[in-house]
Amino acid sequence: MLTAKDIMTSGALTLSPDSEVSVAAKLLLEKHLNGVPVVDSEGTLVGVICQSDLVAQQKSISVPSFFTILDGFISLSSSDDFEKEITKISATKVEQAMTPNPVTITSETSIEKIADLMVEKKLYTLPVVENGKLIGVIGKEDVLKVLIKS
C-alpha cells in the first residue's frame, strides 16, 4: 500500500510568516502550485497559504447584520468572523492571509486517506509533518501521478 512517504515532495518550497503576500502569489503562479507550507524560523509548520487564500483578498466584505431590541444592538453574525475577514482581505504578510493550524498528515498516512482528505475537506496541499516539523508536502498532482503509474 502506498503511503505519503512514497509520493510526497521532500524539501518542498516554503514561506515564512513575514513574507509579503505578493511574493507568495508570485511563487504560486510561477511554480504552478496550489499551496505552500508556512514555517517559522525553527522549521515548525504554522500554516499553509493557498491560491484560495489570496483570491479571498479580492472578495467583498460581508457586513454583519444587526437588529435592535429596546435600543440595544444584537449581532446576527460573529464579530470574530468579521474581524478575520477584514484581516484576510487587507493582508500584506503571509501570516495574515494564510490558513493557520492546517490539517496535516504523517509519512505513514495511506494514499486512500490522503485522497479522502482532499475530496471531503477540499484540501489540495497537505503538509507531511513528523514531530511538529515539516518533512514534505503532497499536492493533488502527486496523487494524480499515482493514477498514471497504475
Side-chain angles (χ1 to χ4, degrees):
M1 174 184 350
L2 286 175
T3 62
K5 69 179 169 215
D6 299 317
I7 65 170
M8 72 181 191
T9 302
S10 300
L13 296 171
T14 62
L15 289 166
S16 68
D18 61 344
S19 297
E20 297 288 329
V21 166
S22 59
V23 170
K26 186 175 179 183
L27 179 68
L28 292 173
L29 288 172
E30 286 180 354
K31 301 292 184 183
H32 304 283
L33 300 170
N34 181 62
V36 175
V38 181
V39 296
D40 64 17
S41 58
E42 286 85 43
T44 302
L45 181 73
V46 294
V48 170
I49 187 151
C50 295
Q51 291 177 0
S52 57
D53 294 320
L54 299 176
V55 169
Q57 289 192 295
Q58 304 305 313
K59 70 178 238 162
S60 60
I61 300 170
S62 55
V63 179
S65 301
F66 294 93
F67 70 95
T68 59
I69 294 180
L70 302 173
D71 293 332
F73 291 100
I74 297 177
S75 175
L76 296 176
S77 56
S78 167
S79 62
D80 288 344
D81 291 342
F82 180 67
E83 287 177 32
K84 285 178 190 171
E85 193 173 342
I86 293 292
T87 299
K88 199 163 234 185
I89 288 172
S90 62
T92 58
K93 300 287 184 187
V94 166
E95 183 174 39
Q96 299 162 319
M98 72 181 188
T99 301
N101 307 313
V103 172
T104 62
I105 58 175
T106 69
S107 61
E108 297 303 318
T109 303
S110 71
I111 187 81
E112 290 83 8
K113 178 67 175 169
I114 293 166
D116 286 347
L117 283 169
M118 288 182 167
V119 172
E120 291 172 11
K121 298 193 182 278
K122 296 183 170 93
L123 301 171
Y124 306 119
T125 303
L126 288 171
V128 184
V129 176
E130 296 291 336
N131 300 318
K133 303 291 183 201
L134 180 72
I135 62 166
V137 67
I138 295 179
K140 60 185 173 188
E141 286 185 13
D142 297 313
V143 177
L144 289 174
K145 288 176 188 174
V146 172
L147 291 174
I148 293 171
K149 291 179 184 176
S150 298

